[in-house]
Amino acid sequence: MPPQTLVVDNGSYTIKSGFASENATLDDCRLIPNCLARSRDRRVLVASQLETCRDFGGMMFRRPVEKGYLVNWEAEKEIWDLTFLDKESPLACQPQSTNLLLTEAPNAPVSLQNNTDQMVFEEYEFSSYLRCVAPSLIPWNHIPSLFDPSTTPTPSPPLPAEAALIIDTGFSHTHIVPTFSGQPYNTAIRRLDIGGKFLTNYLKELVSMRTWNMMDETHIMNTVKETTCFVSSNFSRDLERCKRLSPSDNPIVRDYVLPDYNTGKLGFAREHVARKSGPAGGDGDDEQVMVLSNERFCVPELLFNPSDIGVKQAGLAEGVMQSLEMVPDQLKPALLANIVIVGGNANIPGLKERFEADLRPMAPTEAVVRVAVPEDPVKAAWTGGVRYTGSADFRRRLVTRVEYMEHGLHWAQRKMAGEDPVAGGELKETSAERDRRENRSHKKRRMD
Amino acid sequence: MPTIEILPQTQSTHSHHGVNWAYTTLPPAHSVSGTLPSGTSGRGQRARANNYENSAARQRQINARISELEKDNYRDVVIPIPKSDAKRASYRSRHTATQNVRRVLQSQKTFVNHLADEEALHPGVAAPTSQQRNDDTTAGVGSDDEMDIDTPETKAREEEDGTPPVIMIGGNILDGGPPLGYARAVSRPSKQAERKFCEICGYWGNYRCGKCGARYCDTHCMALHLETACNKLYR
């Protein structure tokens, strides 16, 4: 096994990627925009080229990951080529002498998994490769220290948390994944089709209807969402405030000064400043100000009440209870006491507190409910993945390119899923297979 | 084409007995509307008006809005792969692509296509219901032992070669079964009542526009709504 291992958390908004090492820190993980973007002047920017861009006005995006699943390899290849094969990229590597740990979203269609495996082995020719579900990497982080900072991480070899309920709320959707010993409990995985993109678009729609037309300004609205939105701890009180109080008395109201790309000024949020009347604002400066009040908390509220705009799904807290219905009773308390929220939306202020407050009354009274957000919820799957690469379980499941060429795609996928392929490429008999074979022989006997 | 419409159930004594449906020649989108012979009582009218929230037209409106919110760009754009410059071409033509790679790269399938394929290939993989699942997994365990994960019976068994511990329940290894698949993993609708918001300012939407069904909170927002956003023409 080559010494170098590349850990790639291939998200729909960013690729979280870096090389695994014994003492890797968060800084070793790079965020690469997982998109092709076209600017106003019709230049196409690929992945990290986006960082060089100064004018995000009217920017259009093409994302290879659709609804959280890697669909369009034509675009993804362009991004991967630039990120992993370009000599000047900080993540440049020789795939032939590198192991790859790649993540996917839970419940991915098999055809997409096949495409990914074939591209990794046949186009990139990685030396060995393991594909796994992203939330299943979180328990490899040291979960107890999230709840009690005084505990210290276990020395190597790393072991996963015995039970952890992962809420992965990302760009395209939110997954609730109970895990035991780092293995997702598949029948209990629940999805909520609200993610960061949905929230951004909702904010964009609200603002466009009420103040400025921002329908083409997805990138700006994403920044506005990240800087101003919060989850309300008392929704009806805050809604009432926004209705009754004048903007100058209302602590919720914020101004967002829109960026001016002609002069290169960046956008920023500030406390509300009452403006003099008049078409130009009267101040002499020409800054364009977007006033936000109840939009600030109505938008992230969708994560808790998707029915507010007609999405017929349960919110976060209710979704967790639905997921727990499928788990054996004895294990529910362990999951409730070890809830970890990861993904970009976990950065929204107030989300953890509100989630705890919503879940507490639904959970059994005697159960302990503990919720934690890792230091960097976006990179949590990556850091977990790095620790995972040092484990025996990783080495057991890893499929080498030679094995893939010799035994084929399905053998490789079963090895990655943790089944034991014995020497000679014969798969250990699963019970279903044995049944099928026995039925066949039985039938033969009867025909005789 | 005539459509069948379920008339709203009213409590009034003089309402129709027996049949509570009638033929109508209106297209489905318009079948539940104020154009029916109006009831004599205010109550019946109100019931019909409330039905608007559950009508197919309203549902279509909501679905269109949701799919709008899931888009990457407001307008449909095609962003082609940029032409490769000389430096980048070097690693692209490193070797000839295999048949599989060519197929994957040329595929123009969207996620919806893949999902449809998946459904067509594995139609009968029914998800276990929560009832079944609980029966399966709790079968070997006495009903009275309420325990946490550290009691001996669920004690994690650590294997010698350092692979992660396996959690045992009543002598069986805990196993969540195969993945449910995309369509079955979605969470069920919430039990809580839907909340209504003013479509103009975002406050509680306690009133409803009689013409188009939009919600608003007060006369100020009503005036704004009638002036700008009322789409009565399209109903």
Side-chain angles (χ1 to χ4, degrees), chain A residues 297-359:
Chain A
F297 57 89
C298 282
V299 170
E301 181 70 17
L302 291 184
L303 283 168
F304 295 91
N305 286 297
S307 60
D308 281 359
I309 70 155
V311 175
K312 296 219 182 313
Q313 291 169 8
L316 274 188
E318 246 181 297
V320 166
M321 295 317 289
Q322 286 184 14
S323 165
L324 287 179
E325 282 171 16
M326 310 296 279
V327 176
D329 286 341
Q330 309 93 311
L331 298 171
K332 286 177 188 174
L335 289 175
L336 280 170
N338 291 286
I339 299 176
V340 183
I341 309 182
V342 297
N345 296 333
N347 282 324
I348 304 176
L351 182 114
K352 184 188 126 188
E353 290 74 17
R354 170 68 186 278
F355 173 73
E356 237 171 327
D358 273 17
L359 185 65

Side-chain angles (χ1 to χ4, degrees), chain A residues 426-442:
Chain A
E426 289 288 314
L427 284 167
K428 207 169 97 182
E429 217 169 45
T430 61
S431 62
E433 254 186 340
R434 194 169 53 240
D435 283 355
R436 209 183 313 134
R437 203 199 49 195
E438 276 169 5
N439 284 343
R440 211 167 40 223
S441 60
H442 182 61

Side-chain angles (χ1 to χ4, degrees), chain B residues 46-61:
Chain B
R46 204 158 55 234
R48 258 196 301 288
N50 283 340
N51 214 7
Y52 171 72
E53 289 295 334
N54 300 319
S55 71
R58 178 71 183 152
Q59 199 51 53
R60 264 198 301 278
Q61 218 175 26

Side-chain angles (χ1 to χ4, degrees), chain A residues 138-300:
Chain A
I138 308 290
W140 291 87
N141 290 307
H142 193 247
I143 300 295
S145 62
L146 291 177
F147 298 103
D148 181 7
S150 63
T151 55
T152 49
T154 48
S156 54
L159 285 174
E162 280 178 12
L165 185 88
I166 313 299
I167 300 175
D168 184 356
T169 169
F171 184 64
S172 28
H173 50 203
T174 299
H175 269 110
I176 296 160
V177 183
T179 61
F180 297 106
S181 297
Q183 286 309 302
Y185 195 80
N186 283 324
T187 39
I189 296 178
R190 287 291 171 270
R191 189 187 73 249
L192 160 64
D193 286 322
I194 305 272
K197 175 166 64 175
F198 201 95
L199 300 184
T200 300
N201 283 341
Y202 183 51
L203 178 65
K204 195 169 77 173
E205 192 194 272
L206 289 183
V207 166
S208 300
M209 204 166 60
R210 293 175 194 171
T211 51
W212 300 91
N213 181 6
M214 301 297 282
M215 289 313 275
D216 267 341
E217 307 294 345
T218 315
H219 188 275
I220 297 174
M221 290 319 292
N222 196 45
T223 322
V224 175
K225 180 194 76 178
E226 284 171 6
T227 46
T228 62
C229 280
F230 69 99
V231 179
S232 167
S233 57
N234 186 342
F235 182 75
S236 50
R237 180 201 65 192
D238 285 347
L239 197 61
E240 206 68 39
R241 271 186 190 169
C242 287
K243 180 74 177 174
R244 307 283 170 223
L245 298 177
S246 70
S248 48
D249 299 332
N250 188 345
I252 292 167
V253 175
R254 286 277 182 289
D255 283 356
Y256 189 86
V257 182
L258 295 174
D260 184 347
Y261 292 123
N262 293 327
T263 57
K265 266 195 274 184
L266 297 174
F268 60 93
R270 66 169 183 217
E271 298 285 317
H272 179 66
V273 181
R275 296 182 58 106
K276 298 185 189 89
S277 57
D283 289 351
D285 65 316
D286 52 356
E287 61 181 21
Q288 296 181 320
V289 177
M290 180 190 288
V291 182
L292 299 144
S293 63
N294 64 17
E295 297 88 359
R296 287 187 62 206
F297 57 89
C298 282
V299 170

Side-chain angles (χ1 to χ4, degrees), chain B residues 3-8 20-24 31-33 36 48:
Chain B
T3 49
I4 296 174
E5 185 202 345
I6 311 288
L7 295 177
N20 61 347
W21 52 268
Y23 283 109
T24 154
S31 61
V32 182
S33 68
L36 284 163
R48 258 196 301 288

